[in-house]
């Protein structure tokens, strides 16, 4: 007798949505997990082995004509360029039509948990918070890898110490990746972000940057794509004082699905993983194509801003690494940091939340670089 899948109540869905949101930010060299993190049983991953397809044609024959609902809570920005390429490849290579939309975090997470959205582009920290609350979700692939947030200061500030006692803004709380990055950056400089600056909480990175431009604050959290705009508008007026991908190297957004969906749609999940790796390699191989797609998808993105973003995201951060955006070490670090900052109560290992099976099969099929 088939066991009917559990459907969460409306109250449970809303509660889990709030927890997922806690791990998210305005999106969107690893450390090791804390000693208390115990490895979990392999039962958390799909039981049957994920095998590479014999050919694109073989996999296409199994999924062609399917439609899939994908949503992201990321603010439209150049870090989504790889995601848009994945959507293109799903259709061109596999005949899968992706119904994509950008949603606010809370309704997206509710839709993912409730089954209205099949694939969610969400934070790994938020995924862990949802599991803490009982959600049965798993990451099957990665999209962007690095933490793209940073600390920016108004010139002549040349170090975080120069912001001591001055107005400094983060987003709504210190538990999101934005707040965690602020805490990490200041701690590395021997400072406490909650004590050594006049800490302000604004709604999002956009408001922080606007306040920085207006002279209302002397420093605040920004992001690579925002910094590119600031530097083009007023060269030399702002200084990057700490890079999040160095101070807090977290695995950011992942492709998340419910475990029952993954079990019932293994070929579709594999097609998504293959499309992801192909998009990652395209990003590095076709700079002109990346620039064109970024400008086509991100309203108001100038050619110069696209160039600056490519240089930062692809060359410096190495986002979309060619052999897979799911990284074991960064996964461990992200989960340990989520526990440290109170996003989750449980010491999770990657096996609790991530299956690398699809990524491994995709790399085996395409050939490792």
């Amino acid at each position: 007798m088939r066991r009917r899948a559990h459907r969460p109540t409306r109250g449970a869905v809303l509660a889990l949505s709030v927890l997922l949101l806690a791990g998210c930010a305005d999106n969107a060299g690893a450390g090791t997990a804390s000693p208390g993190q115990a490895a979990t049983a392999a039962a958390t991953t799909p039981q049957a082995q994920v095998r590479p397809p014999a050919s694109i044609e073989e996999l296409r024959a199994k999924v062609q004509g399917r439609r899939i609902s994908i949503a992201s809570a990321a603010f439209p920005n150049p870090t989504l360029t790889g995601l848009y390429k994945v959507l293109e490849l799903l259709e061109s290579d596999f005949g899968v039509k992706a119904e994509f939309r950008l949603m606010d975090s809370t309704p997206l997470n509710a839709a993912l948990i409730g089954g209205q959205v099949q694939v969610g582009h969400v934070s790994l920290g938020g995924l862990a918070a949802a599991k803490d609350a009982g959600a049965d979700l798993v990451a099957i692939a990665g999209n962007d890898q690095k933490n793209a947030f940073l600390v920016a200061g108004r010139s002549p500030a040349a170090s975080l110490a120069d912001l001591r006692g001055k107005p400094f803004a983060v987003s709504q709380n210190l538990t999101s990746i934005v707040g965690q990055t602020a805490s990490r950056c200041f701690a590395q400089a021997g400072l406490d972000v909650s004590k050594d600056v006049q800490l302000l909480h604004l709604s999002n990175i956009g408001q922080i940057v606007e306040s920085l431009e207006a002279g209302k604050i002397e420093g605040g959290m920004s992001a690579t794509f925002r910094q590119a705009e600031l530097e083009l508008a007023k060269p030399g007026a702002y200084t990057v004082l700490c890079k999040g991908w160095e101070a807090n190297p977290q695995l950011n957004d992942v492709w998340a699905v419910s475990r029952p969906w993954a079990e019932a749609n293994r070929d579709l999940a594999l097609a998504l993983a293959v499309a992801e790796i192909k998009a990652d390699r395209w990003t590095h191989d076709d700079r002109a194509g990346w620039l064109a797609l970024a400008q086509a998808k991100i309203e108001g993105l100038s050619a110069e801003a696209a160039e600056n973003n490519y240089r930062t995201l692809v060359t410096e951060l190495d986002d979309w690494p060619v052999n897979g955006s799911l990284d074991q070490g960064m996964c461990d670090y992200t989960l340990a940091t989520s526990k440290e900052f109170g996003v989750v109560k449980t010491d999770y290992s990657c096996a609790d939340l991530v299956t690398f099976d699809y990524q491994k099969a995709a790399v085996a099929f395409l050939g490792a670089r």
Side-chain angles (χ1 to χ4, degrees), residues 134-194:
D136 193 18
L137 304 175
V138 62
I140 59 172
N143 182 254
D144 65 299
Q145 180 162 343
K146 306 296 191 329
N147 173 3
F149 297 104
L150 54 89
V151 177
R154 291 173 58 85
S155 294
S159 70
L160 290 174
D162 293 331
L163 299 179
R164 189 189 296 271
K166 297 178 180 178
F168 180 87
V170 298
S171 53
Q172 295 177 354
N173 58 67
L174 291 176
T175 61
S176 71
I177 190 172
V178 174
Q180 293 172 16
T181 302
S183 297
R184 283 274 195 267
C185 283
F186 276 84
Q188 286 188 354
L191 301 169
D192 187 330
V193 70
S194 63

Side-chain angles (χ1 to χ4, degrees), residues 68 112 117-120 127 136-140 255-262 269 272:
I68 185 172
L112 180 61
V117 169
Q118 283 78 56
V119 181
L127 197 62
D136 193 18
L137 304 175
V138 62
I140 59 172
W255 297 108
V257 301
S258 73
R259 289 185 189 274
W261 186 92
L272 177 64

Side-chain angles (χ1 to χ4, degrees), residues 6-344:
H6 171 69
R7 295 182 62 83
T9 65
R10 181 174 181 273
V13 166
L14 292 175
L16 292 172
S17 301
V18 172
L19 285 170
L20 269 168
L21 179 60
C24 299
D26 292 76
N27 275 36
T32 57
S34 61
Q37 284 187 301
T40 54
T44 55
T45 58
Q47 293 181 357
Q49 184 179 358
V50 179
R51 298 183 181 279
S55 65
I56 288 286
E57 291 73 24
E58 178 195 69
L59 188 53
R60 181 186 178 98
K62 296 178 180 179
V63 299
Q64 186 170 10
R66 300 281 299 277
R67 301 182 75 88
I68 185 172
S69 175
I70 299 176
S72 173
F75 176 83
N77 70 77
T79 67
L80 289 179
T81 307
L83 182 154
Y84 286 117
K85 187 62 178 179
V86 170
L87 303 181
E88 287 186 0
L89 290 170
L90 280 174
E91 185 162 14
S92 63
D93 283 5
F94 300 109
V96 174
K97 178 64 176 176
E99 299 173 349
F100 178 70
R101 48 187 164 157
L102 294 171
M103 302 172 64
D104 288 339
S105 296
T106 299
L108 186 162
N109 295 325
L112 180 61
I113 295 166
Q116 291 80 30
V117 169
Q118 283 78 56
V119 181
H121 181 231
V122 301
S123 76
L124 180 61
L127 197 62
K131 182 172 179 60
D132 245 10
D136 193 18
L137 304 175
V138 62
I140 59 172
N143 182 254
D144 65 299
Q145 180 162 343
K146 306 296 191 329
N147 173 3
F149 297 104
L150 54 89
V151 177
R154 291 173 58 85
S155 294
S159 70
L160 290 174
D162 293 331
L163 299 179
R164 189 189 296 271
K166 297 178 180 178
F168 180 87
V170 298
S171 53
Q172 295 177 354
N173 58 67
L174 291 176
T175 61
S176 71
I177 190 172
V178 174
Q180 293 172 16
T181 302
S183 297
R184 283 274 195 267
C185 283
F186 276 84
Q188 286 188 354
L191 301 169
D192 187 330
V193 70
S194 63
K195 298 178 181 179
D196 293 323
V197 295
Q198 298 177 35
L199 187 62
L200 304 173
H201 293 276
L202 301 180
S203 295
N204 52 52
I205 292 293
Q207 286 192 3
I208 295 172
V209 171
E210 289 172 2
S211 296
L212 198 62
E213 290 179 298
K216 296 179 180 178
I217 57 177
E218 291 302 310
M221 296 305 299
S222 183
T224 54
F225 48 92
R226 295 288 188 183
Q227 199 64 22
E229 296 170 358
L230 286 176
E231 291 173 358
L232 286 173
K234 294 183 178 180
Y238 309 95
T239 304
V240 175
L241 303 177
C242 181
K243 300 173 180 179
W245 52 97
E246 294 176 352
N248 188 33
Q250 293 200 39
L251 182 65
N252 196 1
D253 297 319
V254 295
W255 297 108
V257 301
S258 73
R259 289 185 189 274
W261 186 92
E263 285 295 331
N265 297 275
R266 297 171 66 80
D267 293 324
L268 201 51
L270 181 55
L272 177 64
V274 170
E276 173 61 45
I277 300 300
K278 290 191 69 174
D280 296 345
R281 295 178 179 185
W282 164 85
T283 294
H284 292 265
D285 295 342
D286 189 357
R287 174 176 159 277
W290 189 96
L291 296 173
L293 183 58
Q295 287 189 264
K297 294 295 186 180
I298 311 303
E299 185 177 355
L301 184 69
S302 68
E304 193 173 6
E307 288 274 8
N308 287 355
N309 276 283
Y310 186 89
R311 183 169 58 251
T312 302
L313 295 171
V314 181
T315 305
E316 183 175 358
L317 274 72
D318 188 28
D319 274 350
W320 310 287
V322 296
N323 283 316
S325 294
L326 285 177
D327 180 273
Q328 179 76 47
M330 292 185 73
C331 179
D332 289 335
Y333 178 91
T334 301
L335 295 176
T337 304
S338 295
K339 175 67 164 54
E340 178 184 345
F341 280 87
V343 177
V344 295

